[in-house]
Amino acid sequence: MLILNQGGEFSNVRGPLVTDNKKKLTLSLFLLIMLTDFGESLSSFLLKKGVISTEIFPLSAEHIFHFTIVNIGSILIWLGVLTYFFNFFLWMRVLSKLDLSVAVPIGSTSYIMVPLAAFLFLHETVTPLRWIGIFAIILGIYFVSRSKTANDGTKVPEAS
Amino acid sequence: MNWLIFLIVLCELFAATSQVFYKKVVDQNGSHHPLIYISDYFRFAIGILKHPLAWAGLGFMVFSTIFWLMALSAGDLSLVFPLGSIQYVLVLVGSKLFLKEKIDSMRLLGTVLIATGIVVISIS
């Protein structure tokens, strides 16, 4: 009961402060954003791998029911959905610490990581035009991370 | 071709809307509290799930994904993927209008560079 009261007081006192916080982009937050990017790719991969397509057009209750029945037993689908939800909470954590207009642009790291991984590990060739695109994204992420409210942040209040 | 562009714009508009909703949820919940104990994690997750806007945001995301898959299956990929980068512009506009975030020139320039880079990568 005491803990509950403290909890209530806690959020009442600190609630209004939330909008005043200047949000600071730290390395750990940046890595968390990259993790959510990876999680998003992983969940799409699992869903894509697991889905057994059936005829759903024209859209009818019967077709959708059949599609559901065929796919509901798939472990890959469930893993994909689970990954999606876990990732959703990670993303919410990122958003609670950063402006939306900072978090979303920086969340474009998968556009760099996928071609780079293909280049490094699968020895695929990357066309010059693609290198230019990758470079533009890296530069863009750097600019966004240098933008004013992303960086001159005041301290987020610590737990007492 | 025109309806395909309309479909993609609608898809990205829905995705941007859901992001704005998500941001509203965590701002109103005071979800920035440090996560130390396992109970903190649960409180964080439950606080989000209790908020109607989180469900509205997830709903928008589901429809956005459906529209995206429809566009992918119906359209020319070299048109669909580059157009997808308008999401970055829409999120920027949404952050400014509905979340009152301050967009300075660095952030604007950076976002435009990222969107351009994605267009370049997806047409090459």
Side-chain angles (χ1 to χ4, degrees), chain A residues 14-15 20-21 23 32 49 51 74 83 102 123 136 141 160:
Chain A
R14 303 223 264 118
D20 296 331
N21 286 335
K23 316 288 176 66
L32 192 59
K49 217 48 182 158
V51 75
S74 161
T83 311
V102 170
H123 304 291
I141 288 177
S160 48

Side-chain angles (χ1 to χ4, degrees), chain A residues 12-61:
Chain A
N12 276 340
V13 170
R14 303 223 264 118
L17 281 177
V18 177
T19 47
D20 296 331
N21 286 335
K22 296 280 189 292
K23 316 288 176 66
K24 190 175 158 65
L25 178 70
T26 57
L27 180 64
S28 59
L29 267 178
F30 184 76
L31 293 177
L32 192 59
I33 294 178
M34 285 186 72
L35 186 64
T36 62
D37 276 348
F38 177 74
E40 205 175 303
S41 308
L42 182 66
S43 92
S44 338
F45 174 77
L46 289 170
L47 290 174
K48 203 180 160 88
K49 217 48 182 158
V51 75
I52 299 162
S53 23
T54 61
E55 207 173 320
I56 51 169
F57 290 108
L59 276 178
S60 71

Side-chain angles (χ1 to χ4, degrees), chain A residues 14 18 23 84 91-93 95 97-102 104-105 108 111 129-130 140 143 147-149, chain B residues 19 22-23 26 31-33 35 44 48 61 88 101 103-104 106-107 109-110 114 118 120-121 124:
Chain A
R14 303 223 264 118
V18 177
K23 316 288 176 66
Y84 188 89
W91 180 243
M92 291 306 243
R93 191 64 191 162
L95 286 188
K97 299 276 186 184
L98 286 176
D99 275 0
L100 184 64
S101 53
V102 170
V104 169
S108 58
Y111 286 97
L129 199 58
R130 196 161 276 213
F143 279 158
S147 92
K148 267 225 177 68
T149 38
Chain B
Q19 295 289 3
Y22 291 165
K23 180 62 178 157
V26 289
S31 306
H32 64 289
H33 295 326
L35 303 180
F44 174 77
I48 287 164
M61 199 52 102
Y88 292 88
E101 291 180 2
I103 316 288
D104 63 350
M106 281 293 248
R107 204 180 286 188
L109 182 64
I114 291 168
I118 291 170
V120 170
I121 285 182
S124 66

Side-chain angles (χ1 to χ4, degrees), chain B residues 61-87:
Chain B
M61 199 52 102
V62 167
F63 278 104
S64 170
T65 308
I66 292 172
F67 293 154
W68 181 248
L69 293 178
M70 283 165 74
L72 282 185
S73 63
D76 178 7
L77 294 192
S78 62
L79 179 72
V80 177
F81 277 116
L83 262 180
S85 65
I86 59 166
Q87 189 189 336

Side-chain angles (χ1 to χ4, degrees), chain B residues 46-66:
Chain B
I46 289 166
I48 287 164
L49 292 178
K50 270 183 174 171
H51 203 299
L53 276 184
W55 293 100
L58 277 171
F60 270 106
M61 199 52 102
V62 167
F63 278 104
S64 170
T65 308
I66 292 172

